[in-house]
C-alpha cells in the first residue's frame, strides 16, 4: 500500500540531522506507520471498506494483536522501549478513517476538528518524545493545524480530482461564490481564488497563535527544528495568499528549503544564545 513517498520527500523535516540521534529511530518508526496509514486512505483504487479494514488491521497490530504489518510492529516495539502510549498514532488512524468516510467539510470548526486528529497529534508526539511540558501543546496545535491547512490549500485541486475530497469549508466557498467543481479547472476562477486567499489569511492567524512554540521548547535541537518548520510554513502561507494553487507554484524547492533552514537555525541559535527565545514574535515570513 506504500506510495513510495518517504520522509525525505515531505515539505518539512522529518527526523532530520537537527534532532538528537537518540530520538530518530522512534520518530522514523512513527513516520513510517503514519505514512502507511495515509497511503491506504489515499489509495485511488481501493474500495472504502477495504481501506477501513486495512486501517483497523494496522491499529490492531499496533496494540499487539498480530505481527503481519511491519510498520505497526516496529512502532509498537519502539513505543514499548520508551514506555509511550500509542494514543497519538491512534488519533492519526482516526483521521485517515475520516479521509475515507468524510469528503466535505461544512465550516472551519469541522476542518479544525479534522486537524485535531490529522495534525495536532504529530506535534504532541514530538513534544512527548522530547519530554517537553504539555503547556506547549496549545501553541503546537495551532502550528500543526496551520501546516495541515497549508497542505490542503496547496493540493486542493489534486485532492478533488483524484479522490473527490474537498477540505475547503463549504461555508467559505459559498460566501465567496465558489463551487466545488471549480477545483477541477486548470486555473481558479475569481470566486475560488478569493476563497483560497481568505483561507490562507485565516491560516496565517493560526501561525501567529503558535508563534511562541519554538521559544518555549527546552530542547535546543528540537526548538531549532520547530523554528525551521515555522519558517517553511510562513513562506508557504505567503505564497498561498497571493498565488493560485491550481495554476501556480505554491511549494518550496529543495534548494529553497535548504537555504531557509540554515537561515532559520542561525536566527534561532542567536535568539537562544541572547536570551530572546522565550519572547519570539517575529514577523511572518521573516
Amino acid at each position: 500500500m506504500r506510495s513510495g513517498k518517504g520522509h525525505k520527500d515531505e515539505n518539512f523535516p522529518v527526523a532530520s540531522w537537527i534532532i538528537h540521534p537518540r530520538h530518530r529511530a522512534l520518530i522514523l518508526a512513527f513516520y513510517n506507520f503514519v505514512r502507511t496509514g495515509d497511503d491506504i486512505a489515499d489509495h485511488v483504487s481501493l474500495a472504502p471498506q477495504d481501506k477501513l479494514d486495512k486501517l483497523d488491521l494496522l491499529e490492531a497490530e499496533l496494540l499487539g494483536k498480530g505481527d503481519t504489518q511491519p510498520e505497526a510492529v516496529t512502532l509498537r516495539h519502539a513505543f514499548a522501549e520508551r514506555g509511550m502510549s500509542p494514543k497519538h498514532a491512534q488519533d492519526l488512524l482516526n483521521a485517515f478513517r475520516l479521509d475515507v468516510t468524510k469528503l466535505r467539510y461544512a465550516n472551519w470548526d469541522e476542518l479544525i476538528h479534522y486537524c485535531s486528529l490529522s495534525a495536532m497529534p504529530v506535534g504532541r508526539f514530538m513534544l512527548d518524545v522530547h519530554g517537553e511540558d504539555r503547556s506547549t501543546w496549545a501553541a503546537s496545535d495551532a502550528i500543526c493545524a496551520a501546516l495541515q491547512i497549508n497542505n490542503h490549500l496547496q493540493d486542493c485541486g489534486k485532492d478533488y480530482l483524484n479522490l473527490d475530497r474537498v477540505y475547503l469549508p463549504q461555508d467559505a466557498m459559498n460566501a465567496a461564490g465558489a463551487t466545488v467543481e471549480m477545483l477541477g479547472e486548470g486555473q481558479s476562477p475569481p470566486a475560488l481564488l478569493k476563497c483560497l486567499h481568505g483561507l490562507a489569511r485565516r491560516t496565517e492567524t493560526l501561525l501567529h497563535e503558535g508563534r511562541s512554540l519554538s521559544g518555549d521548547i527546552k530542547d535546543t535541537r528540537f526548538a531549532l527544528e520547530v523554528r525551521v518548520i515555522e519558517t517553511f510554513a510562513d513562506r508557504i502561507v505567503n505564497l498561498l495568499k497571493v498565488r493560485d494553487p491550481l495554476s501556480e507554484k505554491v511549494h518550496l524547492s529543495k534548494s529553497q528549503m535548504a537555504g531557509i533552514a540554515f537561515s532559520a537555525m542561525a536566527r534561532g541559535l542567536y535568539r537562544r544564545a541572547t536570551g530572546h527565545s522565550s519572547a519570539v514574535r517575529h514577523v511572518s515570513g521573516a
Side-chain angles (χ1 to χ4, degrees):
M1 290 296 104
R2 290 294 294 268
S3 64
K5 185 176 182 179
H7 68 281
K8 294 182 179 180
D9 302 311
E10 298 289 354
N11 287 328
F12 49 86
V14 178
S16 74
W17 59 268
I18 308 172
I19 293 293
H20 196 286
R22 70 176 177 270
H23 300 309
R24 290 182 197 154
L26 172 57
I27 294 169
L28 285 174
F30 186 83
Y31 172 82
N32 287 327
F33 177 84
V34 172
R35 168 51 53 197
T36 299
D38 197 21
D39 288 345
I40 290 169
D42 289 351
H43 200 285
V44 295
S45 60
L46 272 181
Q49 189 57 53
D50 290 337
K51 292 180 179 183
L52 294 174
D53 290 345
K54 290 181 182 297
L55 291 171
D56 287 347
L57 178 60
L58 271 182
E59 182 169 28
E61 299 208 356
L62 176 67
L63 300 178
K65 303 171 185 176
D67 297 290
T68 67
Q69 305 299 304
E71 292 86 0
V73 175
T74 299
L75 183 58
R76 183 177 80 214
H77 291 158
F79 277 151
E81 288 173 7
R82 297 285 286 265
M84 291 182 66
S85 164
K87 182 183 185 308
H88 300 316
Q90 290 177 281
D91 284 343
L92 285 155
L93 289 176
N94 284 329
F96 302 143
R97 292 182 178 107
L98 273 180
D99 283 335
V100 177
T101 60
K102 185 177 178 66
L103 301 179
R104 302 289 186 272
Y105 289 81
N107 51 48
W108 183 261
D109 287 345
E110 282 195 4
L111 182 59
I112 293 298
H113 171 69
Y114 172 77
C115 292
S116 75
L117 298 173
S118 69
M120 297 177 193
V122 177
R124 294 180 177 192
F125 162 76
M126 290 293 293
L127 291 164
D128 283 354
V129 166
H130 287 85
E132 298 292 335
D133 193 280
R134 294 196 174 186
S135 63
T136 57
W137 277 20
S140 174
D141 287 351
I143 294 292
C144 289
L147 290 168
Q148 179 72 85
I149 298 169
N150 270 356
N151 184 257
H152 291 330
L153 297 176
Q154 288 174 303
D155 295 340
C156 60
K158 181 175 67 175
D159 286 339
Y160 173 65
L161 289 172
N162 295 343
L163 298 163
D164 189 31
R165 195 182 292 161
V166 179
Y167 295 101
L168 310 184
Q170 190 63 55
D171 62 350
M173 296 187 74
N174 292 342
T179 65
V180 166
E181 291 74 22
M182 290 177 181
L183 290 166
E185 300 186 22
Q187 181 176 343
S188 293
L192 178 59
L193 198 58
K194 178 182 177 182
C195 174
L196 293 169
H197 289 173
L199 291 170
R201 289 191 296 271
R202 195 162 187 181
T203 305
E204 185 177 42
T205 300
L206 287 173
L207 290 172
H208 288 308
E209 290 174 6
R211 192 62 72 204
S212 65
L213 180 60
S214 59
D216 291 341
I217 290 172
K218 295 181 177 63
D219 184 286
T220 296
R221 296 176 73 138
F222 180 36
L224 292 177
E225 175 141 311
V226 169
R227 184 74 178 86
V228 170
I229 291 170
E230 289 173 345
T231 308
F232 286 166
D234 285 338
R235 294 296 180 90
I236 290 169
V237 84
N238 282 335
L239 293 175
L240 289 165
K241 287 191 301 179
V242 297
R243 293 186 181 179
D244 175 10
L246 297 191
S247 62
E248 297 178 275
K249 181 180 178 182
V250 289
H251 290 76
L252 301 175
S253 68
K254 294 297 182 183
S255 61
Q256 286 176 315
M257 291 174 71
I260 292 168
F262 282 108
S263 177
M265 284 189 293
R267 288 196 301 273
L269 281 170
Y270 172 78
R271 288 189 172 107
R272 293 180 82 83
T274 57
H276 295 148
S277 61
S278 62
V280 172
R281 294 291 187 275
H282 67 279
V283 177
S284 176

